[in-house]
Coordinates of all heavy atoms in Angstrom, one line a residue:
Chain A
S88 N 8.0 13.2 -3.6 CA 7.2 12.6 -4.7 C 8.1 11.7 -5.5 O 9.3 11.8 -5.4 CB 6.7 13.6 -5.6 OG 7.7 14.2 -6.3
Y89 N 7.5 10.8 -6.2 CA 8.3 10.0 -7.1 C 9.1 11.0 -8.0 O 8.6 12.0 -8.4 CB 7.4 9.2 -8.0 CG 6.7 8.2 -7.4 CD1 5.4 7.7 -7.7 CD2 7.1 7.5 -6.1 CE1 4.7 6.8 -7.1 CE2 6.4 6.6 -5.5 CZ 5.2 6.1 -6.1 OH 4.5 5.1 -5.2
N91 N 10.0 12.6 -11.0 CA 9.2 12.6 -12.1 C 9.9 12.8 -13.5 O 9.3 13.2 -14.5 CB 8.0 13.5 -12.1 CG 8.6 14.9 -11.8 OD1 9.8 15.2 -11.8 ND2 7.7 15.9 -11.4
I112 N 9.3 10.8 -19.2 CA 7.8 10.9 -19.1 C 7.3 12.0 -20.0 O 7.8 13.1 -19.9 CB 7.4 11.1 -17.6 CG1 7.8 9.8 -16.8 CG2 6.0 11.5 -17.5 CD1 7.4 9.8 -15.4
P113 N 6.2 11.7 -20.8 CA 5.7 12.7 -21.6 C 5.2 13.9 -20.8 O 4.7 13.8 -19.8 CB 4.5 12.0 -22.3 CG 4.1 10.9 -21.4 CD 5.4 10.4 -20.8
S114 N 5.4 15.1 -21.4 CA 5.0 16.3 -20.6 C 3.7 16.7 -21.0 O 3.3 17.1 -22.1 CB 5.9 17.4 -20.8 OG 6.0 17.7 -22.2
I115 N 2.7 16.4 -20.2 CA 1.2 16.7 -20.3 C 0.9 17.7 -19.2 O 1.1 17.4 -18.0 CB 0.4 15.5 -20.3 CG1 0.9 14.5 -21.4 CG2 -1.0 15.8 -20.6 CD1 0.2 13.2 -21.4
N116 N 0.3 18.8 -19.6 CA -0.1 19.7 -18.5 C -1.6 19.6 -18.0 O -1.9 19.8 -16.9 CB 0.2 21.1 -19.0 CG 1.7 21.4 -19.2 OD1 2.5 20.9 -18.5 ND2 1.9 22.2 -20.3
S117 N -2.4 19.3 -19.1 CA -3.7 19.1 -18.7 C -4.4 18.2 -19.7 O -4.0 18.0 -20.7 CB -4.5 20.4 -18.6 OG -4.7 20.9 -19.9
I118 N -5.6 17.6 -19.2 CA -6.4 16.7 -20.1 C -7.7 16.8 -19.6 O -8.0 16.7 -18.4 CB -5.7 15.4 -20.1 CG1 -6.6 14.4 -21.1 CG2 -5.7 14.7 -18.7 CD1 -6.0 13.0 -21.2
K119 N -8.6 17.1 -20.5 CA -10.1 17.0 -20.2 C -10.4 17.8 -18.8 O -11.2 17.1 -18.0 CB -10.5 15.6 -20.1 CG -12.0 15.4 -20.4 CD -12.4 13.9 -20.4 CE -12.0 13.2 -19.2 NZ -12.5 11.7 -19.2
G120 N -9.8 18.9 -18.6 CA -10.2 19.7 -17.4 C -9.4 19.3 -16.1 O -9.5 20.0 -15.1
Y121 N -8.5 18.3 -16.2 CA -7.7 18.0 -15.1 C -6.4 18.9 -15.2 O -5.7 18.9 -16.2 CB -7.4 16.5 -15.1 CG -8.6 15.7 -14.9 CD1 -9.1 14.9 -16.0 CD2 -9.2 15.5 -13.6 CE1 -10.2 14.1 -15.8 CE2 -10.2 14.6 -13.5 CZ -10.7 13.9 -14.6 OH -11.8 13.2 -14.5
D122 N -6.1 19.4 -14.1 CA -4.8 20.2 -14.0 C -3.6 19.3 -13.4 O -3.5 19.0 -12.3 CB -5.1 21.3 -13.0 CG -4.0 22.3 -13.0 OD1 -3.1 22.3 -13.8 OD2 -4.1 23.3 -12.1
I123 N -2.8 18.8 -14.4 CA -1.8 17.8 -14.0 C -0.6 18.5 -13.6 O 0.0 19.3 -14.2 CB -1.6 16.8 -15.3 CG1 -2.9 16.1 -15.6 CG2 -0.4 15.9 -15.1 CD1 -2.8 15.3 -16.8
H124 N -0.1 18.1 -12.3 CA 1.1 18.5 -11.8 C 2.2 17.5 -11.7 O 3.4 17.8 -11.7 CB 0.9 19.0 -10.4 CG 0.1 20.3 -10.4 ND1 0.7 21.5 -9.7 CD2 -1.0 20.8 -11.0 CE1 -0.1 22.6 -9.9 NE2 -1.1 22.1 -10.7
E125 N 1.9 16.2 -11.8 CA 2.8 15.0 -11.6 C 2.3 14.0 -12.6 O 1.1 13.8 -12.8 CB 2.7 14.5 -10.3 CG 3.5 15.1 -9.2 CD 3.4 14.3 -7.9 OE1 3.9 13.1 -7.9 OE2 2.6 14.6 -7.0
L126 N 3.3 13.3 -13.2 CA 2.9 12.2 -14.0 C 3.9 11.0 -13.9 O 5.1 11.3 -13.9 CB 3.0 12.7 -15.4 CG 2.2 12.0 -16.6 CD1 0.7 11.8 -16.2 CD2 2.3 12.8 -17.9
N127 N 3.4 9.9 -13.4 CA 4.2 8.7 -13.1 C 3.9 7.6 -14.2 O 2.8 7.3 -14.4 CB 3.9 8.2 -11.7 CG 4.2 9.3 -10.7 OD1 5.3 9.9 -10.6 ND2 3.3 9.6 -9.9
L128 N 5.0 7.1 -14.6 CA 4.9 6.0 -15.5 C 5.6 4.7 -15.0 O 6.8 4.8 -14.7 CB 5.6 6.4 -16.8 CG 5.4 5.7 -18.1 CD1 3.9 5.6 -18.5 CD2 6.1 6.3 -19.3
T129 N 4.8 3.7 -14.7 CA 5.4 2.5 -14.2 C 5.1 1.2 -15.0 O 4.0 1.0 -15.4 CB 4.8 2.2 -12.8 OG1 5.1 3.4 -12.1 CG2 5.4 1.1 -12.2
Chain B
V67 N -7.5 0.6 -8.9 CA -7.0 1.9 -9.4 C -6.0 2.4 -8.3 O -6.2 2.0 -7.2 CB -8.1 3.0 -9.7 CG1 -9.1 2.5 -10.8 CG2 -8.9 3.3 -8.4
P68 N -5.0 3.2 -8.7 CA -4.1 3.8 -7.8 C -4.9 4.6 -6.7 O -5.9 5.2 -7.1 CB -3.1 4.5 -8.6 CG -3.8 4.8 -9.8 CD -4.8 3.7 -10.1
D69 N -4.3 4.8 -5.6 CA -4.9 5.6 -4.5 C -3.8 6.3 -3.8 O -2.7 5.8 -3.5 CB -5.6 4.6 -3.5 CG -6.2 5.2 -2.4 OD1 -5.6 5.5 -1.5 OD2 -7.4 5.5 -2.5
N70 N -4.1 7.5 -3.4 CA -3.2 8.4 -2.8 C -2.6 7.8 -1.6 O -1.5 8.2 -1.1 CB -3.8 9.7 -2.4 CG -3.1 10.9 -3.2 OD1 -2.1 10.6 -3.9 ND2 -3.7 12.0 -3.1
R75 N -8.7 0.3 -3.8 CA -9.6 1.2 -4.4 C -9.9 0.6 -5.8 O -9.1 0.1 -6.5 CB -9.1 2.6 -4.6 CG -10.0 3.6 -5.2 CD -9.4 5.0 -5.2 NE -9.5 5.7 -3.9 CZ -10.6 6.3 -3.5 NH1 -11.6 6.4 -4.2 NH2 -10.6 6.8 -2.3
Y89 N -3.9 -3.3 -12.5 CA -4.5 -2.1 -12.9 C -5.0 -2.3 -14.3 O -4.2 -2.9 -15.1 CB -3.6 -0.8 -12.9 CG -3.2 -0.5 -11.5 CD1 -1.8 0.1 -11.3 CD2 -3.9 -0.7 -10.4 CE1 -1.4 0.4 -10.0 CE2 -3.6 -0.4 -9.2 CZ -2.3 0.2 -8.8 OH -1.9 0.6 -7.6
H93 N -5.9 2.6 -19.9 CA -5.9 4.1 -19.8 C -5.1 4.5 -18.5 O -4.9 3.7 -17.7 CB -7.4 4.4 -19.7 CG -8.1 3.7 -18.6 ND1 -8.9 2.6 -18.8 CD2 -8.3 4.1 -17.3 CE1 -9.4 2.2 -17.7 NE2 -9.0 3.1 -16.7
G94 N -5.0 5.8 -18.5 CA -4.2 6.4 -17.3 C -5.2 6.7 -16.2 O -6.5 6.6 -16.4
H95 N -4.7 7.0 -15.0 CA -5.5 7.4 -13.9 C -5.1 8.8 -13.4 O -4.0 9.2 -13.5 CB -5.5 6.4 -12.8 CG -6.2 5.1 -13.2 ND1 -5.5 4.1 -13.6 CD2 -7.5 4.7 -13.1 CE1 -6.3 3.0 -14.1 NE2 -7.5 3.4 -13.7
F96 N -6.0 9.5 -12.8 CA -5.8 10.8 -12.3 C -6.2 10.9 -10.8 O -7.3 10.5 -10.5 CB -6.5 11.9 -13.0 CG -6.3 13.3 -12.5 CD1 -5.2 14.0 -13.0 CD2 -7.0 13.8 -11.5 CE1 -5.0 15.4 -12.4 CE2 -6.9 15.1 -11.1 CZ -5.9 15.8 -11.5
I97 N -5.3 11.3 -10.0 CA -5.6 11.4 -8.6 C -5.5 12.9 -8.1 O -4.6 13.6 -8.4 CB -4.7 10.6 -7.7 CG1 -4.6 9.1 -8.0 CG2 -5.0 10.8 -6.2 CD1 -3.6 8.2 -7.3
C98 N -6.6 13.3 -7.5 CA -6.7 14.8 -7.0 C -6.1 15.0 -5.8 O -6.2 14.2 -4.8 CB -8.2 15.2 -7.0 SG -8.3 17.0 -6.6
Y99 N -5.2 16.1 -5.7 CA -4.5 16.5 -4.4 C -5.4 16.7 -3.4 O -5.2 16.5 -2.2 CB -3.6 17.7 -4.7 CG -2.4 17.5 -5.4 CD1 -1.9 18.5 -6.3 CD2 -1.5 16.3 -5.4 CE1 -0.7 18.3 -7.1 CE2 -0.4 16.2 -6.0 CZ 0.0 17.1 -7.0 OH 1.2 17.0 -7.6
I100 N -6.6 17.4 -3.7 CA -7.5 17.9 -2.7 C -8.5 16.8 -2.2 O -8.5 16.4 -1.1 CB -8.3 19.1 -3.2 CG1 -7.5 20.1 -3.9 CG2 -9.2 19.6 -2.1 CD1 -6.5 20.9 -2.8
C101 N -9.2 16.2 -3.2 CA -10.3 15.3 -2.7 C -9.8 13.9 -2.7 O -10.6 12.9 -2.3 CB -11.6 15.5 -3.7 SG -11.3 15.0 -5.3
N102 N -8.6 13.7 -3.2 CA -8.0 12.3 -3.2 C -8.8 11.2 -4.0 O -8.7 10.1 -4.0 CB -7.8 11.7 -1.8 CG -6.8 12.5 -1.0 OD1 -5.7 12.6 -1.5 ND2 -7.1 13.0 0.1
Q103 N -9.7 11.8 -4.8 CA -10.4 10.9 -5.7 C -9.6 10.4 -6.8 O -8.8 11.1 -7.4 CB -11.8 11.7 -6.2 CG -12.8 10.8 -7.0 CD -13.2 9.7 -6.2 OE1 -13.0 8.5 -6.6 NE2 -13.7 9.9 -5.1
T104 N -9.8 9.2 -7.3 CA -9.1 8.7 -8.4 C -10.1 8.6 -9.7 O -11.2 8.0 -9.6 CB -8.7 7.2 -8.2 OG1 -7.8 7.3 -7.0 CG2 -7.8 6.8 -9.4
F105 N -9.7 9.2 -10.7 CA -10.5 9.2 -12.0 C -9.9 8.4 -13.1 O -8.6 8.4 -13.2 CB -10.7 10.6 -12.5 CG -11.3 11.5 -11.5 CD1 -10.5 12.3 -10.7 CD2 -12.6 11.8 -11.4 CE1 -11.0 13.1 -9.7 CE2 -13.2 12.7 -10.6 CZ -12.3 13.3 -9.6
C106 N -10.7 7.6 -13.9 CA -10.1 6.9 -15.0 C -10.0 8.0 -16.2 O -11.0 8.5 -16.5 CB -11.0 5.7 -15.4 SG -11.0 4.4 -14.2
L107 N -8.8 8.0 -16.8 CA -8.7 8.9 -17.9 C -8.8 8.2 -19.3 O -7.8 7.7 -19.8 CB -7.3 9.6 -17.8 CG -7.0 10.6 -16.6 CD1 -5.6 11.2 -16.7 CD2 -8.1 11.6 -16.6
D108 N -10.0 7.9 -19.5 CA -10.2 7.0 -20.8 C -9.7 7.8 -22.0 O -9.3 7.1 -23.0 CB -11.8 6.9 -21.0 CG -12.4 6.2 -19.8 OD1 -11.9 5.2 -19.3 OD2 -13.2 6.8 -19.2
D109 N -9.5 9.1 -21.9 CA -8.9 9.8 -23.0 C -7.5 9.8 -23.1 O -6.9 10.3 -24.0 CB -9.4 11.3 -22.9 CG -10.9 11.5 -23.0 OD1 -11.5 10.4 -23.3 OD2 -11.4 12.6 -22.9
M110 N -6.9 9.3 -22.1 CA -5.4 9.3 -22.0 C -4.9 7.8 -22.3 O -4.5 7.1 -21.3 CB -4.8 9.8 -20.7 CG -3.3 10.0 -20.7 SD -2.7 11.2 -19.6 CE -2.6 10.2 -18.1
P111 N -4.8 7.4 -23.5 CA -4.3 6.0 -23.8 C -2.8 5.9 -23.4 O -2.1 6.9 -23.5 CB -4.6 5.9 -25.3 CG -4.5 7.2 -25.8 CD -5.0 8.1 -24.8
I112 N -2.4 4.8 -23.0 CA -1.2 4.5 -22.5 C -0.3 4.1 -23.8 O -0.8 3.2 -24.6 CB -1.0 3.4 -21.5 CG1 -1.7 4.0 -20.3 CG2 0.3 3.0 -21.3 CD1 -1.6 3.1 -19.1
L126 N 1.8 -1.4 -18.5 CA 2.3 0.0 -18.4 C 1.3 0.8 -17.7 O 0.1 0.9 -18.3 CB 2.6 0.5 -19.8 CG 3.7 1.6 -20.0 CD1 5.0 1.3 -19.3 CD2 3.9 1.9 -21.4
N127 N 1.6 1.5 -16.6 CA 0.6 2.3 -15.9 C 1.0 3.7 -15.9 O 2.2 4.0 -15.6 CB 0.4 1.7 -14.5 CG 0.1 0.4 -14.4 OD1 0.8 -0.5 -13.8 ND2 -0.9 0.0 -15.1
L128 N 0.1 4.6 -16.1 CA 0.3 6.0 -16.2 C -0.6 6.7 -15.1 O -1.9 6.6 -15.2 CB 0.0 6.5 -17.5 CG 0.5 7.9 -18.0 CD1 2.0 7.9 -17.9 CD2 0.1 8.1 -19.5
T129 N -0.1 7.3 -14.2 CA -0.8 7.9 -13.1 C -0.5 9.4 -13.0 O 0.7 9.8 -12.7 CB -0.6 7.2 -11.8 OG1 -1.0 5.9 -11.9 CG2 -1.5 7.9 -10.7
A130 N -1.4 10.3 -13.1 CA -1.2 11.7 -13.1 C -1.8 12.2 -11.7 O -2.7 11.6 -11.2 CB -2.0 12.4 -14.2
K131 N -1.2 13.2 -11.2 CA -1.8 13.9 -10.0 C -1.9 15.4 -10.2 O -1.1 16.0 -10.9 CB -0.9 13.6 -8.8 CG -0.8 12.2 -8.4 CD -0.1 11.9 -7.1 CE 0.0 10.4 -6.8 NZ 0.5 10.2 -5.6
G132 N -2.8 15.9 -9.5 CA -3.0 17.4 -9.6 C -4.4 17.8 -9.2 O -4.7 17.3 -8.0
Y133 N -5.0 18.7 -9.8 CA -6.3 19.3 -9.2 C -7.3 18.9 -10.2 O -7.3 19.2 -11.3 CB -6.2 20.7 -9.1 CG -5.1 21.1 -8.1 CD1 -3.8 21.6 -8.5 CD2 -5.3 21.1 -6.7 CE1 -2.9 21.9 -7.6 CE2 -4.3 21.4 -5.8 CZ -3.1 21.8 -6.3 OH -2.1 22.0 -5.4
C134 N -8.4 18.2 -9.7 CA -9.5 17.8 -10.6 C -10.5 19.0 -10.9 O -10.3 20.1 -10.3 CB -10.3 16.6 -9.9 SG -11.4 17.2 -8.6

Side-chain angles (χ1 to χ4, degrees):
Chain A
S88 68
Y89 292 150
N91 56 7
I112 292 183
S114 59
I115 303 176
N116 296 321
S117 72
I118 182 171
K119 204 177 58 181
Y121 297 103
D122 187 8
I123 295 176
H124 285 237
E125 279 180 73
L126 204 51
N127 300 307
L128 195 55
T129 304
Chain B
V67 300
D69 179 275
N70 244 353
R75 182 176 282 279
Y89 292 151
H93 57 267
H95 291 98
F96 178 90
I97 303 178
C98 178
Y99 285 145
I100 309 291
C101 63
N102 291 306
Q103 189 54 239
T104 305
F105 303 87
C106 291
L107 296 181
D108 303 303
D109 295 354
M110 188 158 84
I112 292 183
L126 205 51
N127 305 124
L128 196 57
T129 304
K131 295 191 184 184
Y133 301 96
C134 78

